[in-house]
Amino acid sequence: MVRLWQIYYICHPLTQILCRYGDIDISLKDFGKVSKKIPHLTSIAPAGPHHVVDFFYAGGIPAIMLELAQSGLINTETMTVYGKPLGEMLDENQAGIKDPAVIRSTNNPVHTTGGLAVLAGNLAPDGAIVKQAAVADEMLIHSGPARIFSSEEDAYQAIMSAQINKGDVIVVRYEGPKGGPGMQEMLSPTSALAGMGMDKDVALITDGRFSGASRGSAIGHVSPEAAAGGPIAAVNEGDIPDRATLQSSDDFVYPAGLIAADGKFSWYERSDPRNQLRDFALFDALLESFSKDYCIDRDQVFAVGHSLGASFANSLGCARGSVIRGVGTVAGRIWDIKCSGPAAAMIMHNPKDDLVPLSRGLKARDWALTQNELEPSARPCEPRDLNCECYGPIQAPNPVIWCPHSEDYNRSGKFYPHLWPKNAGAAIMDFFDALPAQDRQ
């Protein structure tokens, strides 16, 4: 994670064998948890300006390990193949950072989280992976028409023949372990996009795997794969999936709607009755399925979203307030639907947002106040850096927090008020954790 982690570390058969015969219980989500803890300290080509030889002369792996050890992120008592504890081995090798421009300290990382992000959601219910450190800031949130291909070769041919436009979302399916078969390395499409200068304008989603040399907004390992009946098989040409990579909270991939309650693939239609949207039917079906397969506390179901995902989360909290305990959203609105039951809400919105105007965010806030029967009088509250205001008495069963934050520049210095603030995920989770237990009849 410190370096630009290769996806192979997660999917490599050796990793699976070691875990299986070492009786180690590990899942894709565990890699996601590690990535959120371990900072990204060096940026190596093709996603960064430095090369492996630069990394070597800057101190290499020992320098990285020492930096992590000094920050309390790894156990120096761990025994190594040298027959000595890790800390002792680093001392003997005189480990240390020799070029801070190449290998940064944990106090000045390239990114505060690791190179990979583990995604999950209704397009990838069993998970997906993105090399987030190689994704341009402006592509962390992207919505565009899907361009469907059933092989890497077909996608590559379309790219090379100028059939792909800026803003498109390339979907390459049937390239997984079954569909490939064999899950061959997929480098050509991402390399072609980068070579044409389109890696900051076009997203790619696939059930196959990428080369470690890939860069750009590319999500791989979507599971279940298309050949196993995964939802990616149902995406049609021209459909518009909305993808969000959250930096501080759970990660997800979210299309506008996918599976109806009867299990059939279907997209949201504008003709759907407002309170019977297929998005809501999808939520009902997923919750019912998860409740059967996992130990879920039905009183602790939360919805989180940004942009289109935030609009869905707000509307879901309204339509399913009798089920949703709370929502946490950034830059969303509320659909014109009938509400049912109370739902706590933390709503963040930048007054300068030109994609979703402030008036729509205020409408979402007012929905939450009305639904939770709260007076429109507020008091300043945490987190103060997001200019938050709290509605309702202390320990209100369903409080509402309105945060008109002012963070409007991304990491590249580009003015972009429609972004997810850097500490929004942590603030939302703190809000959820602080909610009082709720009795349901």
Side-chain angles (χ1 to χ4, degrees):
M1 291 299 174
V2 180
R3 202 170 67 81
L4 187 52
W5 252 43
Q6 297 234 23
I7 294 173
Y8 304 152
Y9 296 157
I10 295 177
C11 70
H12 200 287
L14 179 59
T15 305
Q16 308 303 321
I17 292 170
L18 289 173
C19 291
R20 178 177 179 182
Y21 289 98
D23 197 24
I24 300 172
D25 185 13
I26 192 169
S27 69
L28 195 60
K29 291 183 178 179
D30 292 311
F31 288 94
K33 292 176 182 177
V34 171
S35 184
K36 290 175 183 178
K37 288 183 179 180
I38 306 298
H40 178 207
L41 300 184
T42 184
S43 193
I44 306 298
H50 308 298
H51 297 272
V52 173
V53 65
D54 302 318
F55 177 66
F56 173 79
Y57 285 112
I61 295 297
I64 290 283
M65 299 183 79
L66 181 65
E67 183 64 24
L68 293 180
Q70 291 175 340
S71 298
L73 294 171
I74 58 175
N75 182 6
T76 56
E77 299 299 319
T78 300
M79 189 59 66
T80 69
V81 294
Y82 290 90
K84 299 176 181 179
L86 176 60
E88 187 177 330
M89 183 198 74
L90 293 175
D91 288 340
E92 290 189 5
N93 281 277
Q94 298 181 332
I97 297 176
K98 298 176 176 59
D99 186 348
V102 178
I103 300 177
R104 299 196 189 184
S105 70
T106 53
N107 293 324
N108 180 37
V110 180
H111 300 110
T112 55
T113 56
L116 296 182
V118 176
L119 314 180
N122 55 350
L123 192 60
D126 291 343
I129 303 171
V130 62
K131 205 157 68 170
Q132 63 179 355
V135 179
D137 286 340
E138 57 267 36
M139 288 298 288
L140 290 175
I141 307 296
H142 181 76
S143 180
R147 304 298 307 279
I148 308 302
F149 304 96
S150 294
S151 72
E152 175 190 6
E153 291 78 11
D154 289 348
Y156 178 71
Q157 183 60 40
I159 295 169
M160 297 304 293
S161 58
Q163 297 178 39
I164 302 300
N165 302 311
K166 289 185 176 182
D168 285 351
V169 178
I170 299 173
V171 178
V172 183
R173 56 199 184 191
Y174 299 103
E175 286 289 3
K178 289 183 180 179
M183 211 173 198
Q184 66 179 353
E185 178 180 85
M186 190 182 301
L187 177 60
S188 299
T190 53
S191 296
L193 289 172
M196 293 177 172
M198 297 178 70
D199 53 313
K200 294 183 179 180
D201 300 292
V202 175
L204 193 152
I205 301 174
T206 181
D207 54 7
R209 68 183 177 94
F210 295 111
S211 161
S214 295
R215 68 176 179 181
S217 184
I219 297 174
H221 298 265
V222 169
S223 180
E225 62 176 294
I232 193 173
V235 183
N236 297 311
E237 183 80 12
D239 285 337
I240 303 182
D242 179 63
R243 180 177 60 79
T245 304
L246 312 187
Q247 299 302 304
S248 304
S249 186
D250 291 337
D251 301 310
F252 64 93
V253 181
Y254 172 69
L258 191 59
I259 307 176
D262 60 5
K264 294 181 179 178
F265 292 123
S266 58
W267 287 94
Y268 151 77
E269 296 290 346
R270 294 186 181 276
S271 60
D272 288 348
R274 276 299 185 181
N275 285 293
Q276 298 177 28
L277 292 179
R278 300 179 196 189
D279 284 328
F280 299 152
L282 168 62
F283 167 77
D284 296 337
L286 287 176
L287 184 60
E288 184 64 28
S289 174
F290 290 161
S291 297
K292 290 179 180 178
D293 297 336
Y294 304 97
C295 182
I296 289 181
D297 182 351
R298 294 291 290 263
D299 292 336
Q300 296 293 315
V301 178
F302 304 101
V304 180
H306 171 264
S307 191
L308 178 60
S311 299
F312 174 68
N314 285 335
S315 302
L316 183 64
C318 164
R320 297 293 187 269
S322 57
V323 177
I324 291 286
R325 179 66 186 91
V327 301
T329 63
V330 175
R333 61 187 181 92
I334 178 77
W335 295 335
D336 233 352
I337 54 177
K338 182 179 179 181
C339 294
S340 172
M346 183 174 192
I347 300 173
M348 306 181 197
H349 209 105
N350 191 323
K352 298 178 184 177
D353 193 338
D354 55 354
L355 291 181
V356 180
L358 180 66
S359 59
R360 296 191 177 187
L362 288 169
K363 186 176 180 181
R365 179 202 64 182
D366 294 343
W367 142 73
L369 293 177
T370 300
Q371 183 159 327
N372 296 322
E373 299 180 348
L374 297 177
E375 295 294 328
S377 56
R379 64 183 186 281
C381 63
E382 297 294 338
R384 299 300 175 93
D385 59 331
L386 293 174
N387 302 319
C388 295
E389 301 175 344
C390 288
Y391 294 81
I394 303 296
Q395 290 300 305
N398 298 293
V400 172
I401 299 183
W402 165 249
C403 304
H405 71 92
S406 59
E407 189 172 337
D408 47 28
Y409 283 88
N410 63 21
R411 288 179 295 181
S412 299
K414 179 182 178 182
F415 179 72
Y416 188 66
H418 191 66
L419 54 70
W420 175 280
K422 57 179 175 291
N423 63 339
I428 289 172
M429 295 311 296
D430 288 343
F431 171 65
F432 289 160
D433 288 340
L435 290 178
Q438 188 175 42
D439 294 327
R440 295 189 188 274
Q441 300 299 325

